[in-house]
Amino acid sequence: MTQFAPSKLTILPTTVALTGRVMPPGSKSITNRALLVAALAKGTSRLSGALKSDDTRYMAQALREMGVAIEEPDATSFIVTSDARLKVPAKPLFLGNAGTATRFLTAAAALVDGTVVVDGDEHMRKRPILPLVEALTRLGVAISAPSGCPPVTIQGQGGFDGGLVEVDGGLSSQYVSALLMAGACARNPVDVVLTGQEIGARGYVDLTLATMRAFGAQVSEPDSGGWRIAPTGYVATDYLIEPDASAATYLWAAEVLTGGAIDLGVPASAFTQPDAKAHELIAAFPNLPAEIDGSQMQDAVPTLAVLAAFNRTPVRFTGIANLRVKECDRVAALAQGLSRIRPGLGVEDGDDLLVASDPALAGQTLPAEIDTFADHRIAMSFALAGLKIGGVTILDPACVAKTYPDYWRALGSLGVRFEGELP
């Protein structure tokens, strides 16, 4: 996958409103769901509007290593041809720091007849997967993850019988989605039940269900804490993937920060992804509420936190404990980055983040090197601070390739200028 030398990029503040048209890339979340489901369907599926980024390339390559034919006829399409059976890969599946690919393929590997090792980079090896491992174990799958994080070894037996399985979705809804998607290929119905009502970003489960149903799966929801999946398997189909709402949040924020007008080619109301909920908050700037619950729009929190730095009044972000187990500890990374701009601008309070908003930051020169911790969302969100504050430098700007490879060029097309070489 893409490897970049360490570099830095300084954002030059803009004194004009950003205007123009920028279409966000396809949804990473939907693309990786559709790739897996298409790989489990018999026949040929065409996925259009798809995202081509590090995360989706890891997923596509892993599926190829499991015997699925995947063509890429253009920049936004995948053609997936499968006999509905995943085969034993010749080597461990390396998935970088792609959380969706890692969690989803861990469950799908139970459908393979043989041993599959799911692994990732040093960041992925710190991200918990034990709740999913425990749930698969209860379904009779022979699986182990000694550290509670990848690598995970799955001794597949060509599928699993089904039945009732409880899962703790508090850390990540991806555990639930992984079980749901694999469940349609079980020998008997699968009942997935939450151990509690807490679930990280429940809206992403809705994305999973929509993708599954588009490929012929039958899922019912007998109550608010559970799902029943019929053993239908999947049917190949053509599927259109909507633009990425998480990526859209940076453009929405850039628009309100500069008083601009950025046409994304699709209205906010057309998005079905959870992070689209952030649009209403962003539109309220500079009058963001005193408290923002980020539990159901987790990937939008970095955008909102940097935007909050320029709000008229301070903002507390709650419900964001799960951000500590993302690509990095995003609560800590946000607090650190904000406080590099001005000491005390971002403060951790337990698992909450307090942003000491100050509209007067705009127009100042406050040199700050932002450590992105190789996290694409930290890089993209702090670029917003650089639109209004002089001296904001993003370290490892190339990490945006994880989900938005053209991010810097997209900003450049709107008139944003930089010091340093674009990755």
Side-chain angles (χ1 to χ4, degrees):
M1 289 301 161
T2 310
Q3 297 293 324
F4 298 101
S7 61
K8 61 178 66 175
L9 195 67
T10 300
I11 318 300
L12 299 181
T14 179
T15 57
V16 299
L18 296 184
T19 60
R21 182 182 174 92
V22 174
M23 174 68 83
S27 164
K28 180 261 292 188
S29 300
I30 300 176
T31 298
N32 268 354
R33 285 162 169 79
L35 278 169
L36 176 58
V37 170
L40 295 173
K42 186 176 181 63
T44 297
S45 301
R46 184 183 181 94
L47 312 181
S48 56
L51 172 68
K52 302 291 183 74
S53 73
D54 284 355
D55 272 20
T56 60
R57 290 190 183 100
Y58 279 124
M59 174 65 97
Q61 182 56 33
L63 291 170
R64 290 184 180 110
E65 292 173 14
M66 300 174 85
V68 180
I70 301 180
E71 303 171 63
E72 301 185 39
D74 56 53
T76 60
S77 298
F78 290 102
I79 297 177
V80 182
T81 302
S82 174
D83 62 3
R85 300 290 296 178
L86 300 179
K87 298 173 178 60
V88 179
K91 58 184 179 180
L93 300 176
F94 179 77
L95 298 166
N97 195 16
T100 52
T102 299
R103 277 72 177 263
F104 297 170
L105 285 171
T106 293
L111 305 172
V112 175
D113 189 8
T115 300
V116 181
V117 176
V118 176
D119 202 0
D121 63 17
E122 67 273 20
H123 303 288
M124 195 67 231
R125 287 186 168 194
K126 297 176 183 175
R127 299 179 68 179
I129 200 167
L130 190 58
L132 178 57
V133 170
E134 292 174 341
L136 288 167
T137 299
R138 288 190 283 272
L139 283 171
V141 178
I143 181 171
S144 63
S147 70
C149 302
V152 186
T153 301
I154 305 97
Q155 305 285 347
Q157 297 181 350
F160 53 93
D161 288 335
L164 174 67
V165 59
E166 293 184 332
V167 60
D168 180 358
L171 272 179
S172 176
S173 64
Q174 291 173 5
Y175 308 145
V176 178
S177 290
L179 292 168
L180 292 172
M181 286 186 286
C185 299
R187 300 184 186 99
N188 299 293
V190 177
D191 288 291
V192 177
V193 178
L194 297 176
T195 57
Q197 289 302 309
E198 291 297 320
I199 181 171
R202 191 184 188 97
Y204 284 103
V205 174
D206 295 333
L207 291 185
T208 301
L209 297 175
T211 306
M212 292 172 62
R213 287 167 175 151
F215 285 79
Q218 296 177 16
V219 187
S220 59
E221 302 175 57
D223 57 63
S224 61
W227 301 265
R228 167 162 282 196
I229 310 100
T232 57
Y234 295 104
V235 178
T237 190
D238 292 344
Y239 193 60
L240 176 63
I241 294 163
E242 70 182 55
D244 194 281
S246 306
T249 65
Y250 311 115
L251 301 169
W252 292 330
E255 181 179 59
V256 299
L257 270 174
T258 66
I262 302 174
D263 179 7
L264 274 61
V266 58
S269 59
F271 289 93
T272 63
Q273 299 152 71
D275 282 352
K277 296 182 178 71
H279 180 265
E280 184 177 350
L281 290 167
I282 292 170
F285 178 83
N287 298 304
L288 298 176
E291 181 175 320
I292 293 176
D293 180 354
S295 61
Q296 300 304 312
M297 48 180 174
Q298 295 173 13
D299 285 345
V301 169
T303 306
L304 292 166
V306 173
L307 186 64
F310 304 94
N311 198 52
R312 285 179 176 151
T313 53
V315 180
R316 173 185 288 268
F317 290 86
T318 63
I320 58 172
N322 289 5
L323 268 66
R324 294 197 182 277
V325 292
K326 295 287 188 177
E327 282 80 343
C328 74
D329 181 341
R330 287 181 179 161
V331 180
L334 287 166
Q336 181 191 105
L338 289 167
S339 291
R340 284 188 175 178
I341 293 172
R342 190 182 71 186
L345 183 59
V347 176
E348 297 176 69
D349 183 15
D351 285 326
D352 292 355
L353 174 69
L354 306 181
V355 181
S357 311
D358 183 0
L361 290 170
Q364 296 189 45
T365 297
L366 302 168
E369 288 197 339
I370 305 300
D371 189 340
T372 62
F373 301 95
D375 189 325
H376 56 134
R377 302 217 181 278
I378 299 301
M380 291 188 280
S381 59
F382 274 98
L384 300 170
L387 298 178
K388 305 300 292 184
I389 297 172
V392 175
T393 298
I394 308 298
L395 303 181
D396 188 18
C399 68
V400 302
K402 189 173 192 295
T403 55
Y404 198 165
D406 290 331
Y407 180 66
W408 303 116
R409 288 172 179 80
L411 290 183
S413 73
L414 295 169
V416 179
R417 295 182 299 127
F418 312 94
E419 284 183 356
E421 186 175 348
L422 290 175

